[in-house]
Amino acid sequence: NGTAMEPEAMRGMVLFYGKADCASCHSGRFQTDHDFHAIAMPQIGPGKAARFESHARDTGRMRVTGRAEDAYAFRTPPLRNVAQTAPYGHAGAYGTREGVVRHHLDPVGSLRAYDIAQAVMPGFDADDLRVMQDEGELTAIAAANDLAPMTLSDAEVDDILAFLNALTDPQSI
């Protein structure tokens, strides 16, 4: 016996599974295909470098497979209780659900315009913007992107956010 969703959340669900095409990756019981996708997510923080490497990049799935086509691809996160799991993005680049939803609308544009103020950063001294300040790295991340831009109105984004909020299970909190 469930509780009916608010009208905004219902509209968001229709968008999520329809026009916005979120369910092409966020599908199934936990809203994840368990697959890896490159969506030009900003690279902040220390990255994934071995002791002998000096870079700060995180090449995602490619680090495991060694395949160039897996560069900057990260696993689709499940969305259950997503309202409780900030920050968002594999490196925590977005402190809000709205920030990461808007990133999905124009991944490459969002990558290029990224503002570190969107992140929730721990209080330690690190070169967190090393990759984001390197034009070659940004170009590589952008080139790997496989998520096409789309247009949604502010009201439609708000509805999707309402739907995402409805995925919270109060008993699990």
Side-chain angles (χ1 to χ4, degrees), residues 3-17 22 79 81-83 97-98 101-102 152-169:
T3 303
M5 286 192 294
E6 296 294 323
E8 300 81 13
M10 287 297 293
R11 289 192 306 267
M13 183 179 73
V14 169
L15 287 163
F16 185 94
Y17 289 104
C22 308
L79 298 180
N81 293 330
V82 70
R97 286 183 316 285
E98 182 176 0
V101 166
R102 290 190 180 281
L152 294 177
S153 70
D154 288 345
E156 289 172 320
V157 168
D158 289 344
D159 290 345
I160 288 175
L161 293 171
F163 172 65
L164 293 176
N165 195 52
L167 299 176
T168 300
D169 176 4

PDB file of all heavy atoms in Angstrom, residues 3-17 22 79 81-83 97-98 101-102 152-169:
ATOM      1  N   THR A   3       1.811   5.439  -1.058  1.00  0.00           N
ATOM      2  CA  THR A   3       1.240   6.769  -0.986  1.00  0.00           C
ATOM      3  C   THR A   3       1.366   7.418  -2.352  1.00  0.00           C
ATOM      4  O   THR A   3       2.423   7.322  -2.987  1.00  0.00           O
ATOM      5  CB  THR A   3       2.014   7.616   0.059  1.00  0.00           C
ATOM      6  OG1 THR A   3       1.948   6.932   1.300  1.00  0.00           O
ATOM      7  CG2 THR A   3       1.414   8.998   0.197  1.00  0.00           C
ATOM      8  N   ALA A   4       0.321   8.073  -2.800  1.00  0.00           N
ATOM      9  CA  ALA A   4       0.353   8.734  -4.104  1.00  0.00           C
ATOM     10  C   ALA A   4       1.381   9.858  -4.089  1.00  0.00           C
ATOM     11  O   ALA A   4       1.564  10.550  -3.086  1.00  0.00           O
ATOM     12  CB  ALA A   4      -1.025   9.293  -4.439  1.00  0.00           C
ATOM     13  N   MET A   5       2.063  10.022  -5.227  1.00  0.00           N
ATOM     14  CA  MET A   5       3.036  11.102  -5.348  1.00  0.00           C
ATOM     15  C   MET A   5       2.325  12.426  -5.597  1.00  0.00           C
ATOM     16  O   MET A   5       1.222  12.459  -6.138  1.00  0.00           O
ATOM     17  CB  MET A   5       4.005  10.825  -6.502  1.00  0.00           C
ATOM     18  CG  MET A   5       5.010   9.750  -6.193  1.00  0.00           C
ATOM     19  SD  MET A   5       6.359   9.673  -7.400  1.00  0.00           S
ATOM     20  CE  MET A   5       5.521   9.148  -8.884  1.00  0.00           C
ATOM     21  N   GLU A   6       2.996  13.491  -5.204  1.00  0.00           N
ATOM     22  CA  GLU A   6       2.509  14.841  -5.484  1.00  0.00           C
ATOM     23  C   GLU A   6       2.453  15.041  -7.003  1.00  0.00           C
ATOM     24  O   GLU A   6       3.202  14.398  -7.741  1.00  0.00           O
ATOM     25  CB  GLU A   6       3.445  15.873  -4.855  1.00  0.00           C
ATOM     26  CG  GLU A   6       3.504  15.820  -3.342  1.00  0.00           C
ATOM     27  CD  GLU A   6       2.186  16.201  -2.701  1.00  0.00           C
ATOM     28  OE1 GLU A   6       1.504  17.104  -3.213  1.00  0.00           O
ATOM     29  OE2 GLU A   6       1.823  15.563  -1.680  1.00  0.00           O
ATOM     30  N   PRO A   7       1.595  15.968  -7.490  1.00  0.00           N
ATOM     31  CA  PRO A   7       1.479  16.192  -8.940  1.00  0.00           C
ATOM     32  C   PRO A   7       2.817  16.537  -9.602  1.00  0.00           C
ATOM     33  O   PRO A   7       3.094  16.079 -10.712  1.00  0.00           O
ATOM     34  CB  PRO A   7       0.492  17.353  -9.041  1.00  0.00           C
ATOM     35  CG  PRO A   7      -0.306  17.292  -7.783  1.00  0.00           C
ATOM     36  CD  PRO A   7       0.626  16.763  -6.729  1.00  0.00           C
ATOM     37  N   GLU A   8       3.665  17.337  -8.929  1.00  0.00           N
ATOM     38  CA  GLU A   8       4.967  17.715  -9.506  1.00  0.00           C
ATOM     39  C   GLU A   8       5.831  16.473  -9.707  1.00  0.00           C
ATOM     40  O   GLU A   8       6.508  16.325 -10.730  1.00  0.00           O
ATOM     41  CB  GLU A   8       5.715  18.702  -8.598  1.00  0.00           C
ATOM     42  CG  GLU A   8       4.999  20.002  -8.336  1.00  0.00           C
ATOM     43  CD  GLU A   8       3.939  19.900  -7.234  1.00  0.00           C
ATOM     44  OE1 GLU A   8       3.884  18.891  -6.479  1.00  0.00           O
ATOM     45  OE2 GLU A   8       3.128  20.837  -7.129  1.00  0.00           O
ATOM     46  N   ALA A   9       5.828  15.586  -8.723  1.00  0.00           N
ATOM     47  CA  ALA A   9       6.617  14.358  -8.819  1.00  0.00           C
ATOM     48  C   ALA A   9       6.075  13.449  -9.920  1.00  0.00           C
ATOM     49  O   ALA A   9       6.844  12.808 -10.638  1.00  0.00           O
ATOM     50  CB  ALA A   9       6.634  13.636  -7.477  1.00  0.00           C
ATOM     51  N   MET A  10       4.755  13.403 -10.079  1.00  0.00           N
ATOM     52  CA  MET A  10       4.158  12.594 -11.151  1.00  0.00           C
ATOM     53  C   MET A  10       4.569  13.139 -12.516  1.00  0.00           C
ATOM     54  O   MET A  10       4.931  12.370 -13.408  1.00  0.00           O
ATOM     55  CB  MET A  10       2.627  12.577 -11.026  1.00  0.00           C
ATOM     56  CG  MET A  10       2.109  11.736  -9.868  1.00  0.00           C
ATOM     57  SD  MET A  10       2.522   9.979 -10.006  1.00  0.00           S
ATOM     58  CE  MET A  10       1.546   9.515 -11.426  1.00  0.00           C
ATOM     59  N   ARG A  11       4.528  14.472 -12.656  1.00  0.00           N
ATOM     60  CA  ARG A  11       4.971  15.076 -13.929  1.00  0.00           C
ATOM     61  C   ARG A  11       6.451  14.765 -14.153  1.00  0.00           C
ATOM     62  O   ARG A  11       6.877  14.481 -15.276  1.00  0.00           O
ATOM     63  CB  ARG A  11       4.738  16.585 -13.924  1.00  0.00           C
ATOM     64  CG  ARG A  11       3.280  16.993 -14.009  1.00  0.00           C
ATOM     65  CD  ARG A  11       3.103  18.483 -14.293  1.00  0.00           C
ATOM     66  NE  ARG A  11       3.800  19.356 -13.367  1.00  0.00           N
ATOM     67  CZ  ARG A  11       3.284  19.891 -12.257  1.00  0.00           C
ATOM     68  NH1 ARG A  11       2.004  19.639 -11.948  1.00  0.00           N
ATOM     69  NH2 ARG A  11       3.990  20.672 -11.476  1.00  0.00           N
ATOM     70  N   GLY A  12       7.240  14.824 -13.090  1.00  0.00           N
ATOM     71  CA  GLY A  12       8.661  14.512 -13.192  1.00  0.00           C
ATOM     72  C   GLY A  12       8.900  13.069 -13.599  1.00  0.00           C
ATOM     73  O   GLY A  12       9.803  12.774 -14.382  1.00  0.00           O
ATOM     74  N   MET A  13       8.088  12.157 -13.071  1.00  0.00           N
ATOM     75  CA  MET A  13       8.211  10.751 -13.442  1.00  0.00           C
ATOM     76  C   MET A  13       7.917  10.562 -14.934  1.00  0.00           C
ATOM     77  O   MET A  13       8.622   9.822 -15.622  1.00  0.00           O
ATOM     78  CB  MET A  13       7.269   9.892 -12.605  1.00  0.00           C
ATOM     79  CG  MET A  13       7.412   8.406 -12.887  1.00  0.00           C
ATOM     80  SD  MET A  13       6.320   7.389 -11.880  1.00  0.00           S
ATOM     81  CE  MET A  13       4.736   7.733 -12.638  1.00  0.00           C
ATOM     82  N   VAL A  14       6.892  11.243 -15.422  1.00  0.00           N
ATOM     83  CA  VAL A  14       6.552  11.152 -16.847  1.00  0.00           C
ATOM     84  C   VAL A  14       7.728  11.665 -17.693  1.00  0.00           C
ATOM     85  O   VAL A  14       8.112  11.046 -18.696  1.00  0.00           O
ATOM     86  CB  VAL A  14       5.249  11.927 -17.153  1.00  0.00           C
ATOM     87  CG1 VAL A  14       5.024  12.069 -18.647  1.00  0.00           C
ATOM     88  CG2 VAL A  14       4.065  11.235 -16.484  1.00  0.00           C
ATOM     89  N   LEU A  15       8.341  12.759 -17.275  1.00  0.00           N
ATOM     90  CA  LEU A  15       9.516  13.290 -17.975  1.00  0.00           C
ATOM     91  C   LEU A  15      10.696  12.322 -17.887  1.00  0.00           C
ATOM     92  O   LEU A  15      11.395  12.073 -18.874  1.00  0.00           O
ATOM     93  CB  LEU A  15       9.930  14.639 -17.387  1.00  0.00           C
ATOM     94  CG  LEU A  15       9.046  15.823 -17.718  1.00  0.00           C
ATOM     95  CD1 LEU A  15       9.308  16.979 -16.762  1.00  0.00           C
ATOM     96  CD2 LEU A  15       9.272  16.256 -19.164  1.00  0.00           C
ATOM     97  N   PHE A  16      10.948  11.795 -16.688  1.00  0.00           N
ATOM     98  CA  PHE A  16      12.063  10.894 -16.424  1.00  0.00           C
ATOM     99  C   PHE A  16      12.021   9.686 -17.356  1.00  0.00           C
ATOM    100  O   PHE A  16      13.032   9.298 -17.944  1.00  0.00           O
ATOM    101  CB  PHE A  16      12.005  10.449 -14.958  1.00  0.00           C
ATOM    102  CG  PHE A  16      13.153   9.613 -14.494  1.00  0.00           C
ATOM    103  CD1 PHE A  16      14.238  10.205 -13.871  1.00  0.00           C
ATOM    104  CD2 PHE A  16      13.145   8.229 -14.648  1.00  0.00           C
ATOM    105  CE1 PHE A  16      15.299   9.434 -13.409  1.00  0.00           C
ATOM    106  CE2 PHE A  16      14.197   7.454 -14.190  1.00  0.00           C
ATOM    107  CZ  PHE A  16      15.278   8.059 -13.571  1.00  0.00           C
ATOM    108  N   TYR A  17      10.832   9.087 -17.497  1.00  0.00           N
ATOM    109  CA  TYR A  17      10.674   7.899 -18.325  1.00  0.00           C
ATOM    110  C   TYR A  17      10.307   8.231 -19.766  1.00  0.00           C
ATOM    111  O   TYR A  17      10.231   7.324 -20.599  1.00  0.00           O
ATOM    112  CB  TYR A  17       9.622   6.958 -17.719  1.00  0.00           C
ATOM    113  CG  TYR A  17      10.123   6.307 -16.451  1.00  0.00           C
ATOM    114  CD1 TYR A  17       9.682   6.739 -15.207  1.00  0.00           C
ATOM    115  CD2 TYR A  17      11.055   5.282 -16.499  1.00  0.00           C
ATOM    116  CE1 TYR A  17      10.165   6.159 -14.039  1.00  0.00           C
ATOM    117  CE2 TYR A  17      11.533   4.692 -15.338  1.00  0.00           C
ATOM    118  CZ  TYR A  17      11.085   5.143 -14.114  1.00  0.00           C
ATOM    119  OH  TYR A  17      11.566   4.563 -12.962  1.00  0.00           O
ATOM    120  N   CYS A  22      15.801   9.929 -19.056  1.00  0.00           N
ATOM    121  CA  CYS A  22      16.692   9.566 -17.941  1.00  0.00           C
ATOM    122  C   CYS A  22      16.783   8.049 -17.789  1.00  0.00           C
ATOM    123  O   CYS A  22      17.834   7.506 -17.435  1.00  0.00           O
ATOM    124  CB  CYS A  22      16.202  10.176 -16.632  1.00  0.00           C
ATOM    125  SG  CYS A  22      15.893  11.949 -16.684  1.00  0.00           S
ATOM    126  N   LEU A  79      19.443   5.557  -7.955  1.00  0.00           N
ATOM    127  CA  LEU A  79      18.795   6.793  -7.501  1.00  0.00           C
ATOM    128  C   LEU A  79      17.934   6.613  -6.262  1.00  0.00           C
ATOM    129  O   LEU A  79      17.355   7.584  -5.778  1.00  0.00           O
ATOM    130  CB  LEU A  79      17.973   7.402  -8.642  1.00  0.00           C
ATOM    131  CG  LEU A  79      18.787   7.818  -9.868  1.00  0.00           C
ATOM    132  CD1 LEU A  79      17.865   8.409 -10.929  1.00  0.00           C
ATOM    133  CD2 LEU A  79      19.890   8.792  -9.506  1.00  0.00           C
ATOM    134  N   ASN A  81      16.893   6.895  -2.726  1.00  0.00           N
ATOM    135  CA  ASN A  81      17.329   7.819  -1.676  1.00  0.00           C
ATOM    136  C   ASN A  81      18.317   8.873  -2.177  1.00  0.00           C
ATOM    137  O   ASN A  81      19.118   9.404  -1.409  1.00  0.00           O
ATOM    138  CB  ASN A  81      17.929   7.064  -0.476  1.00  0.00           C
ATOM    139  CG  ASN A  81      16.892   6.244   0.250  1.00  0.00           C
ATOM    140  OD1 ASN A  81      15.714   6.589   0.273  1.00  0.00           O
ATOM    141  ND2 ASN A  81      17.315   5.143   0.839  1.00  0.00           N
ATOM    142  N   VAL A  82      18.248   9.210  -3.450  1.00  0.00           N
ATOM    143  CA  VAL A  82      19.203  10.151  -4.043  1.00  0.00           C
ATOM    144  C   VAL A  82      19.178  11.512  -3.342  1.00  0.00           C
ATOM    145  O   VAL A  82      20.195  12.205  -3.288  1.00  0.00           O
ATOM    146  CB  VAL A  82      18.983  10.287  -5.575  1.00  0.00           C
ATOM    147  CG1 VAL A  82      17.678  11.008  -5.888  1.00  0.00           C
ATOM    148  CG2 VAL A  82      20.171  10.984  -6.231  1.00  0.00           C
ATOM    149  N   ALA A  83      18.051  11.887  -2.764  1.00  0.00           N
ATOM    150  CA  ALA A  83      17.974  13.166  -2.048  1.00  0.00           C
ATOM    151  C   ALA A  83      18.878  13.179  -0.823  1.00  0.00           C
ATOM    152  O   ALA A  83      19.201  14.242  -0.298  1.00  0.00           O
ATOM    153  CB  ALA A  83      16.530  13.457  -1.638  1.00  0.00           C
ATOM    154  N   ARG A  97      21.230  18.238  -6.279  1.00  0.00           N
ATOM    155  CA  ARG A  97      20.615  17.449  -7.348  1.00  0.00           C
ATOM    156  C   ARG A  97      20.351  18.328  -8.565  1.00  0.00           C
ATOM    157  O   ARG A  97      20.515  17.892  -9.693  1.00  0.00           O
ATOM    158  CB  ARG A  97      19.310  16.799  -6.863  1.00  0.00           C
ATOM    159  CG  ARG A  97      19.533  15.640  -5.937  1.00  0.00           C
ATOM    160  CD  ARG A  97      18.255  14.947  -5.521  1.00  0.00           C
ATOM    161  NE  ARG A  97      17.141  15.806  -5.145  1.00  0.00           N
ATOM    162  CZ  ARG A  97      17.043  16.474  -3.997  1.00  0.00           C
ATOM    163  NH1 ARG A  97      17.993  16.386  -3.107  1.00  0.00           N
ATOM    164  NH2 ARG A  97      16.003  17.222  -3.730  1.00  0.00           N
ATOM    165  N   GLU A  98      19.935  19.571  -8.329  1.00  0.00           N
ATOM    166  CA  GLU A  98      19.673  20.448  -9.473  1.00  0.00           C
ATOM    167  C   GLU A  98      20.938  20.643 -10.308  1.00  0.00           C
ATOM    168  O   GLU A  98      20.888  20.623 -11.532  1.00  0.00           O
ATOM    169  CB  GLU A  98      19.138  21.804  -9.020  1.00  0.00           C
ATOM    170  CG  GLU A  98      18.829  22.703 -10.207  1.00  0.00           C
ATOM    171  CD  GLU A  98      18.195  24.033  -9.849  1.00  0.00           C
ATOM    172  OE1 GLU A  98      17.970  24.297  -8.649  1.00  0.00           O
ATOM    173  OE2 GLU A  98      17.912  24.802 -10.789  1.00  0.00           O
ATOM    174  N   VAL A 101      21.487  17.469 -12.352  1.00  0.00           N
ATOM    175  CA  VAL A 101      20.447  17.328 -13.386  1.00  0.00           C
ATOM    176  C   VAL A 101      20.725  18.310 -14.523  1.00  0.00           C
ATOM    177  O   VAL A 101      20.685  17.936 -15.702  1.00  0.00           O
ATOM    178  CB  VAL A 101      19.033  17.533 -12.799  1.00  0.00           C
ATOM    179  CG1 VAL A 101      17.999  17.726 -13.906  1.00  0.00           C
ATOM    180  CG2 VAL A 101      18.652  16.357 -11.906  1.00  0.00           C
ATOM    181  N   ARG A 102      21.033  19.545 -14.193  1.00  0.00           N
ATOM    182  CA  ARG A 102      21.332  20.530 -15.246  1.00  0.00           C
ATOM    183  C   ARG A 102      22.594  20.152 -16.024  1.00  0.00           C
ATOM    184  O   ARG A 102      22.691  20.417 -17.219  1.00  0.00           O
ATOM    185  CB  ARG A 102      21.417  21.933 -14.660  1.00  0.00           C
ATOM    186  CG  ARG A 102      20.043  22.444 -14.227  1.00  0.00           C
ATOM    187  CD  ARG A 102      20.043  23.917 -13.873  1.00  0.00           C
ATOM    188  NE  ARG A 102      18.730  24.351 -13.468  1.00  0.00           N
ATOM    189  CZ  ARG A 102      17.723  24.643 -14.301  1.00  0.00           C
ATOM    190  NH1 ARG A 102      17.899  24.547 -15.602  1.00  0.00           N
ATOM    191  NH2 ARG A 102      16.552  25.033 -13.830  1.00  0.00           N
ATOM    192  N   LEU A 152      15.220  21.287 -21.480  1.00  0.00           N
ATOM    193  CA  LEU A 152      14.069  21.185 -20.584  1.00  0.00           C
ATOM    194  C   LEU A 152      13.849  22.559 -19.980  1.00  0.00           C
ATOM    195  O   LEU A 152      14.811  23.289 -19.722  1.00  0.00           O
ATOM    196  CB  LEU A 152      14.321  20.183 -19.449  1.00  0.00           C
ATOM    197  CG  LEU A 152      14.470  18.714 -19.807  1.00  0.00           C
ATOM    198  CD1 LEU A 152      14.778  17.893 -18.555  1.00  0.00           C
ATOM    199  CD2 LEU A 152      13.218  18.174 -20.483  1.00  0.00           C
ATOM    200  N   SER A 153      12.606  22.902 -19.741  1.00  0.00           N
ATOM    201  CA  SER A 153      12.301  24.180 -19.103  1.00  0.00           C
ATOM    202  C   SER A 153      12.663  24.105 -17.623  1.00  0.00           C
ATOM    203  O   SER A 153      12.843  23.014 -17.061  1.00  0.00           O
ATOM    204  CB  SER A 153      10.813  24.505 -19.251  1.00  0.00           C
ATOM    205  OG  SER A 153      10.051  23.622 -18.441  1.00  0.00           O
ATOM    206  N   ASP A 154      12.735  25.259 -16.982  1.00  0.00           N
ATOM    207  CA  ASP A 154      12.993  25.289 -15.542  1.00  0.00           C
ATOM    208  C   ASP A 154      11.906  24.534 -14.787  1.00  0.00           C
ATOM    209  O   ASP A 154      12.191  23.820 -13.819  1.00  0.00           O
ATOM    210  CB  ASP A 154      13.082  26.732 -15.031  1.00  0.00           C
ATOM    211  CG  ASP A 154      14.355  27.429 -15.481  1.00  0.00           C
ATOM    212  OD1 ASP A 154      15.309  26.752 -15.932  1.00  0.00           O
ATOM    213  OD2 ASP A 154      14.413  28.669 -15.376  1.00  0.00           O
ATOM    214  N   ALA A 155      10.665  24.657 -15.235  1.00  0.00           N
ATOM    215  CA  ALA A 155       9.559  23.945 -14.587  1.00  0.00           C
ATOM    216  C   ALA A 155       9.725  22.435 -14.745  1.00  0.00           C
ATOM    217  O   ALA A 155       9.444  21.674 -13.811  1.00  0.00           O
ATOM    218  CB  ALA A 155       8.216  24.408 -15.163  1.00  0.00           C
ATOM    219  N   GLU A 156      10.179  21.988 -15.911  1.00  0.00           N
ATOM    220  CA  GLU A 156      10.398  20.558 -16.126  1.00  0.00           C
ATOM    221  C   GLU A 156      11.538  20.042 -15.244  1.00  0.00           C
ATOM    222  O   GLU A 156      11.456  18.946 -14.679  1.00  0.00           O
ATOM    223  CB  GLU A 156      10.679  20.271 -17.603  1.00  0.00           C
ATOM    224  CG  GLU A 156       9.451  20.429 -18.479  1.00  0.00           C
ATOM    225  CD  GLU A 156       9.755  20.348 -19.955  1.00  0.00           C
ATOM    226  OE1 GLU A 156      10.793  20.899 -20.397  1.00  0.00           O
ATOM    227  OE2 GLU A 156       8.934  19.741 -20.684  1.00  0.00           O
ATOM    228  N   VAL A 157      12.609  20.829 -15.106  1.00  0.00           N
ATOM    229  CA  VAL A 157      13.702  20.446 -14.209  1.00  0.00           C
ATOM    230  C   VAL A 157      13.176  20.341 -12.781  1.00  0.00           C
ATOM    231  O   VAL A 157      13.468  19.374 -12.064  1.00  0.00           O
ATOM    232  CB  VAL A 157      14.883  21.441 -14.299  1.00  0.00           C
ATOM    233  CG1 VAL A 157      15.889  21.209 -13.173  1.00  0.00           C
ATOM    234  CG2 VAL A 157      15.565  21.335 -15.660  1.00  0.00           C
ATOM    235  N   ASP A 158      12.360  21.293 -12.361  1.00  0.00           N
ATOM    236  CA  ASP A 158      11.773  21.251 -11.021  1.00  0.00           C
ATOM    237  C   ASP A 158      10.929  19.990 -10.824  1.00  0.00           C
ATOM    238  O   ASP A 158      10.958  19.376  -9.750  1.00  0.00           O
ATOM    239  CB  ASP A 158      10.920  22.494 -10.755  1.00  0.00           C
ATOM    240  CG  ASP A 158      11.746  23.755 -10.574  1.00  0.00           C
ATOM    241  OD1 ASP A 158      12.978  23.657 -10.351  1.00  0.00           O
ATOM    242  OD2 ASP A 158      11.153  24.850 -10.666  1.00  0.00           O
ATOM    243  N   ASP A 159      10.192  19.606 -11.855  1.00  0.00           N
ATOM    244  CA  ASP A 159       9.370  18.397 -11.760  1.00  0.00           C
ATOM    245  C   ASP A 159      10.236  17.140 -11.643  1.00  0.00           C
ATOM    246  O   ASP A 159       9.931  16.235 -10.857  1.00  0.00           O
ATOM    247  CB  ASP A 159       8.425  18.282 -12.960  1.00  0.00           C
ATOM    248  CG  ASP A 159       7.310  19.315 -12.943  1.00  0.00           C
ATOM    249  OD1 ASP A 159       7.070  19.943 -11.885  1.00  0.00           O
ATOM    250  OD2 ASP A 159       6.681  19.510 -14.003  1.00  0.00           O
ATOM    251  N   ILE A 160      11.314  17.079 -12.400  1.00  0.00           N
ATOM    252  CA  ILE A 160      12.229  15.933 -12.288  1.00  0.00           C
ATOM    253  C   ILE A 160      12.833  15.890 -10.888  1.00  0.00           C
ATOM    254  O   ILE A 160      12.941  14.822 -10.273  1.00  0.00           O
ATOM    255  CB  ILE A 160      13.316  15.975 -13.381  1.00  0.00           C
ATOM    256  CG1 ILE A 160      12.675  15.636 -14.731  1.00  0.00           C
ATOM    257  CG2 ILE A 160      14.466  15.021 -13.058  1.00  0.00           C
ATOM    258  CD1 ILE A 160      13.599  15.750 -15.914  1.00  0.00           C
ATOM    259  N   LEU A 161      13.186  17.046 -10.352  1.00  0.00           N
ATOM    260  CA  LEU A 161      13.734  17.101  -8.989  1.00  0.00           C
ATOM    261  C   LEU A 161      12.703  16.627  -7.966  1.00  0.00           C
ATOM    262  O   LEU A 161      13.050  15.925  -7.009  1.00  0.00           O
ATOM    263  CB  LEU A 161      14.222  18.510  -8.668  1.00  0.00           C
ATOM    264  CG  LEU A 161      15.440  18.967  -9.478  1.00  0.00           C
ATOM    265  CD1 LEU A 161      15.707  20.446  -9.253  1.00  0.00           C
ATOM    266  CD2 LEU A 161      16.659  18.128  -9.158  1.00  0.00           C
ATOM    267  N   ALA A 162      11.446  16.965  -8.176  1.00  0.00           N
ATOM    268  CA  ALA A 162      10.385  16.491  -7.282  1.00  0.00           C
ATOM    269  C   ALA A 162      10.261  14.977  -7.363  1.00  0.00           C
ATOM    270  O   ALA A 162      10.083  14.293  -6.341  1.00  0.00           O
ATOM    271  CB  ALA A 162       9.051  17.168  -7.625  1.00  0.00           C
ATOM    272  N   PHE A 163      10.366  14.421  -8.567  1.00  0.00           N
ATOM    273  CA  PHE A 163      10.328  12.969  -8.720  1.00  0.00           C
ATOM    274  C   PHE A 163      11.518  12.314  -8.022  1.00  0.00           C
ATOM    275  O   PHE A 163      11.357  11.325  -7.289  1.00  0.00           O
ATOM    276  CB  PHE A 163      10.304  12.574 -10.200  1.00  0.00           C
ATOM    277  CG  PHE A 163      10.458  11.091 -10.417  1.00  0.00           C
ATOM    278  CD1 PHE A 163       9.498  10.200  -9.968  1.00  0.00           C
ATOM    279  CD2 PHE A 163      11.583  10.588 -11.053  1.00  0.00           C
ATOM    280  CE1 PHE A 163       9.649   8.826 -10.149  1.00  0.00           C
ATOM    281  CE2 PHE A 163      11.743   9.219 -11.237  1.00  0.00           C
ATOM    282  CZ  PHE A 163      10.777   8.338 -10.786  1.00  0.00           C
ATOM    283  N   LEU A 164      12.703  12.868  -8.210  1.00  0.00           N
ATOM    284  CA  LEU A 164      13.890  12.309  -7.553  1.00  0.00           C
ATOM    285  C   LEU A 164      13.738  12.342  -6.032  1.00  0.00           C
ATOM    286  O   LEU A 164      14.130  11.392  -5.339  1.00  0.00           O
ATOM    287  CB  LEU A 164      15.151  13.052  -7.985  1.00  0.00           C
ATOM    288  CG  LEU A 164      15.543  12.886  -9.457  1.00  0.00           C
ATOM    289  CD1 LEU A 164      16.746  13.757  -9.785  1.00  0.00           C
ATOM    290  CD2 LEU A 164      15.801  11.433  -9.806  1.00  0.00           C
ATOM    291  N   ASN A 165      13.152  13.411  -5.527  1.00  0.00           N
ATOM    292  CA  ASN A 165      12.922  13.506  -4.091  1.00  0.00           C
ATOM    293  C   ASN A 165      11.950  12.423  -3.613  1.00  0.00           C
ATOM    294  O   ASN A 165      12.072  11.904  -2.504  1.00  0.00           O
ATOM    295  CB  ASN A 165      12.403  14.896  -3.724  1.00  0.00           C
ATOM    296  CG  ASN A 165      12.490  15.151  -2.244  1.00  0.00           C
ATOM    297  OD1 ASN A 165      13.538  14.984  -1.642  1.00  0.00           O
ATOM    298  ND2 ASN A 165      11.376  15.551  -1.653  1.00  0.00           N
ATOM    299  N   ALA A 166      10.995  12.075  -4.489  1.00  0.00           N
ATOM    300  CA  ALA A 166      10.009  11.047  -4.133  1.00  0.00           C
ATOM    301  C   ALA A 166      10.617   9.654  -4.065  1.00  0.00           C
ATOM    302  O   ALA A 166       9.978   8.729  -3.566  1.00  0.00           O
ATOM    303  CB  ALA A 166       8.859  11.067  -5.155  1.00  0.00           C
ATOM    304  N   LEU A 167      11.854   9.493  -4.525  1.00  0.00           N
ATOM    305  CA  LEU A 167      12.512   8.187  -4.456  1.00  0.00           C
ATOM    306  C   LEU A 167      13.107   7.907  -3.086  1.00  0.00           C
ATOM    307  O   LEU A 167      13.765   6.898  -2.881  1.00  0.00           O
ATOM    308  CB  LEU A 167      13.615   8.098  -5.537  1.00  0.00           C
ATOM    309  CG  LEU A 167      13.125   8.229  -6.978  1.00  0.00           C
ATOM    310  CD1 LEU A 167      14.308   8.224  -7.936  1.00  0.00           C
ATOM    311  CD2 LEU A 167      12.134   7.128  -7.322  1.00  0.00           C
ATOM    312  N   THR A 168      12.873   8.811  -2.153  1.00  0.00           N
ATOM    313  CA  THR A 168      13.370   8.641  -0.783  1.00  0.00           C
ATOM    314  C   THR A 168      12.456   7.689  -0.019  1.00  0.00           C
ATOM    315  O   THR A 168      11.240   7.862  -0.005  1.00  0.00           O
ATOM    316  CB  THR A 168      13.441  10.001  -0.058  1.00  0.00           C
ATOM    317  OG1 THR A 168      14.322  10.859  -0.781  1.00  0.00           O
ATOM    318  CG2 THR A 168      13.953   9.840   1.361  1.00  0.00           C
ATOM    319  N   ASP A 169      13.072   6.713   0.612  1.00  0.00           N
ATOM    320  CA  ASP A 169      12.361   5.782   1.478  1.00  0.00           C
ATOM    321  C   ASP A 169      12.569   6.249   2.920  1.00  0.00           C
ATOM    322  O   ASP A 169      13.641   6.046   3.487  1.00  0.00           O
ATOM    323  CB  ASP A 169      12.906   4.379   1.296  1.00  0.00           C
ATOM    324  CG  ASP A 169      12.285   3.363   2.223  1.00  0.00           C
ATOM    325  OD1 ASP A 169      11.353   3.723   2.985  1.00  0.00           O
ATOM    326  OD2 ASP A 169      12.712   2.202   2.193  1.00  0.00           O
TER     327      ASP A 169
END
